Amino acid sequence: IQSSTATSVIAVGLVNAGVLTYRQSLGVLFGANVGTTVTAQLVALKLTDFAPWLILVGFVAGFLPFRWKIFGKSIFYFGIVFFSLELVAMYVEPLKTDPTMLAALGSLDSAWMGILVGAVFTAIVQSSSVTTGVAIVLISQGAIELEAAIPLILGANVGTTATTLIAAARLDTSARRTAVSHTVYNVLGVLLFLPFLGALGRALQSMGMSGAPA
């Protein structure tokens, strides 16, 4: 479904309904963090070019008289996400020479600032996949460097927990524990990874992944 946020909210709802135990839900939440990376890989492989076809196929599939037509909406909205990222790429191109935009992006040189921006943006758009996709677009356009893109992605992992916390706020204790555990897990993951940002950047650059435009 291309959304760790949706998976996390569903897990919290199932815990509240007694379908999943607190312990079982943690496995689902951890898996959601892995599954959400697939969208980023597809964007990096430039499969966004197929966005119009995905939208068309998803729209048509939604009207077919078969049980699997339920997948039509998933394909349709998946295409919409890709198409939106294509629009971002289109409008970022002229902005990379704009002095104001360059000054704003320059502030992302601080890892903590990048994490904060990534977290806030993700909390607003309710999707870490979108934030990661935007970071990939920005780096492919040469608007930001690799060192600035990585903190944005780390921040996205924190911001994506906001929806789960909001969804669980008025549910039972087990559901709230699940949401808080999700947040703690993601925040600790970022904090544990933070000291290795420099080493990761150097490793990626040594493999030719410097973030320079293709």
Side-chain angles (χ1 to χ4, degrees):
I1 60 176
Q2 303 299 325
S3 174
S4 60
T5 301
T7 304
S8 302
V9 170
I10 290 171
V12 168
L14 291 176
V15 171
N16 185 67
V19 178
L20 286 179
T21 65
Y22 166 72
R23 186 183 182 87
Q24 291 171 330
S25 69
L26 295 181
V28 176
L29 295 175
F30 299 162
N33 279 301
V34 177
T36 193
T37 64
V38 174
T39 306
Q41 295 300 322
L42 296 178
V43 173
L45 293 172
K46 298 187 183 298
L47 296 183
T48 50
D49 294 340
F50 295 96
W53 291 105
L54 290 172
I55 293 173
L56 178 61
V57 170
F59 179 78
V60 173
F63 288 96
L64 295 178
F66 303 110
R67 292 185 62 184
W68 54 268
K69 71 177 183 178
I70 60 174
F71 295 107
K73 285 187 177 181
S74 296
I75 297 173
F76 178 82
Y77 290 118
F78 188 38
I80 289 293
V81 169
F82 273 6
F83 182 69
S84 300
L85 292 174
E86 279 290 292
L87 292 179
V88 170
M90 183 188 307
Y91 285 102
V92 162
E93 179 69 29
L95 290 177
K96 66 182 183 182
T97 57
D98 182 82
T100 304
M101 180 58 66
L102 290 175
L105 294 175
S107 66
L108 298 181
D109 287 342
S110 165
W112 288 107
M113 180 60 70
I115 291 172
L116 178 61
V117 171
V120 172
F121 182 78
T122 302
I124 292 172
V125 301
Q126 305 292 317
S127 174
S128 60
S129 295
V130 170
T131 304
T132 305
V134 170
I136 292 172
V137 169
L138 289 173
I139 200 171
S140 67
Q141 295 285 355
I144 60 175
E145 299 294 330
L146 177 65
E147 291 78 7
I150 296 175
L152 281 175
I153 296 171
L154 292 179
N157 277 297
V158 176
T160 193
T161 65
T163 307
T164 312
L165 290 171
I166 294 171
R170 305 187 70 174
L171 301 181
D172 64 21
T173 303
S174 295
R176 291 198 298 272
R177 284 177 60 199
T178 300
V180 171
S181 297
H182 181 218
T183 302
V184 171
Y185 172 76
N186 284 23
V187 171
L188 286 179
V190 169
L191 293 177
L192 289 173
F193 198 83
L194 200 55
F196 304 101
L197 284 183
L200 176 62
R202 290 190 294 271
L204 293 176
Q205 288 178 348
S206 69
M207 293 186 289
M209 301 180 185
S210 62

